[in-house]
Amino acid sequence: MKLTLEIWRQADAASPGRFVTYDVDDLDEGMSVPEMFDRLNEHLIEKGEDPVAYESDCREAICGACGVVIDGHPHGPSPHLTTCMQRLRQFTDGQRLRIEPLRSGAFPVVKDLLVDRTALDRVIAAGGTVAVEAGSAPDAESQLVDHATVETALDYAICIGCGACVAACPNGAANLFTGAKLMHLSLLPIPSVERTRRAEHMVAAMEDEFGACSLYGECEAACPQEIKLAAVAALQHERLGAFLHRRL
């Protein structure tokens, strides 16, 4: 299988970047996109050229580190899949692909397809830890939580923080990400103790780092974990609750 790859090459955040075209003709349709990069880099190294910098870790759709934009789609054209789960069989032999890093002002390019996504980490860090005296481990049934609430919390907790929602948003907003992180904690007994403080700090950090949400809905479409726009509504709910609590 042969593919023509237009790949963004950029030495660092301070340097200008450009698309460079590569033809790779020894690919297999069962390969993933990161495996395609591996094959390309093997050829570049053999020729003494600088390999393409990109990020991947688990390659099992758990971490989301592999995220790139393929033909304008964060992670790739197959919906709700991370880049490492995008297989070459979805492309046709001889097809040209345009591959670039996740685009956002909050994600500066480190090199080539590798971006710095620590802005997401700073939002998480703003939430801090649950600073309450928990004592010894309680009995499993000492604090009952109904099944539907636990399932809802887990639906939000599956966010892997890949940043696809930010890259897909025309405003570079992170409301889907932040809303998911807020809600999965606010629904559970011990984390909910600091619900108000967490919402205030995480929303403030989000607004410092990212753009405003205008409800385009592109974030939901790009999310590999299929987190719904309800997370954005949940963020506004948490923000309002923190504001009202402070007024009281």
Side-chain angles (χ1 to χ4, degrees):
M1 183 179 188
K2 177 181 178 179
L3 292 174
T4 298
L5 310 177
E6 296 180 11
I7 297 182
W8 184 260
R9 303 302 307 265
Q10 185 174 345
D12 52 53
S15 302
R18 63 190 178 94
F19 284 99
V20 178
T21 301
Y22 304 97
D23 290 318
V24 189
D25 58 8
D26 57 347
L27 300 171
D28 183 273
E29 65 176 13
M31 286 181 170
S32 66
V33 170
E35 289 171 336
M36 177 186 71
F37 293 149
D38 293 340
R39 181 61 56 84
L40 169 63
N41 282 342
E42 289 173 4
H43 298 323
L44 293 177
I45 292 170
E46 287 174 357
K47 294 188 291 185
E49 298 181 21
D50 189 29
V52 175
Y54 69 97
E55 187 174 10
S56 70
D57 189 4
C58 70
R59 300 198 179 193
E60 295 179 347
I62 296 172
C63 69
C66 55
V68 296
V69 176
I70 303 175
D71 288 344
H73 302 282
H75 282 304
S78 292
H80 306 305
L81 291 177
T82 55
T83 298
C84 62
M85 292 290 106
Q86 304 274 342
R87 298 293 169 179
L88 301 190
R89 63 174 58 92
Q90 68 184 300
F91 308 117
T92 58
D93 189 31
Q95 186 172 343
R96 178 180 291 265
L97 304 180
R98 192 175 180 89
I99 303 173
E100 55 192 313
L102 296 179
R103 298 294 191 182
S104 172
F107 297 158
V109 173
V110 176
K111 184 178 181 182
D112 299 337
L113 304 177
L114 177 63
V115 298
D116 179 357
R117 285 176 281 193
T118 53
L120 297 174
D121 297 332
R122 289 191 286 273
V123 173
I124 294 295
T129 57
V130 181
V132 296
E133 178 57 52
S136 59
D139 292 335
E141 297 181 354
S142 63
Q143 291 183 310
L144 299 180
V145 184
D146 66 274
H147 179 76
T149 300
V150 171
E151 287 296 319
T152 301
L154 291 175
D155 287 342
Y156 288 117
I158 60 175
C159 171
I160 57 177
C162 65
C165 56
V166 178
C169 177
N171 292 342
N175 289 48
L176 191 79
F177 164 81
T178 308
K181 297 301 181 183
L182 282 173
M183 283 308 296
H184 94 261
L185 292 173
S186 68
L187 292 171
L188 301 176
I190 293 178
S192 65
V193 172
E194 297 199 351
R195 183 175 185 171
T196 300
R197 180 200 61 80
R198 183 183 301 111
E200 287 183 336
H201 291 184
M202 289 183 67
V203 170
M206 178 197 72
E207 292 179 337
D208 285 343
E209 301 277 359
F210 299 95
C213 175
S214 296
L215 294 178
Y216 284 98
E218 297 294 334
C219 53
E220 181 185 62
C223 178
Q225 299 298 83
E226 301 188 56
I227 295 174
K228 305 302 181 185
L229 280 176
V232 176
L235 181 142
Q236 303 305 330
H237 177 272
E238 293 299 294
R239 183 208 302 262
L240 178 60
F243 172 77
L244 294 176
H245 183 271
R246 187 170 64 250
R247 291 291 298 271
L248 294 175

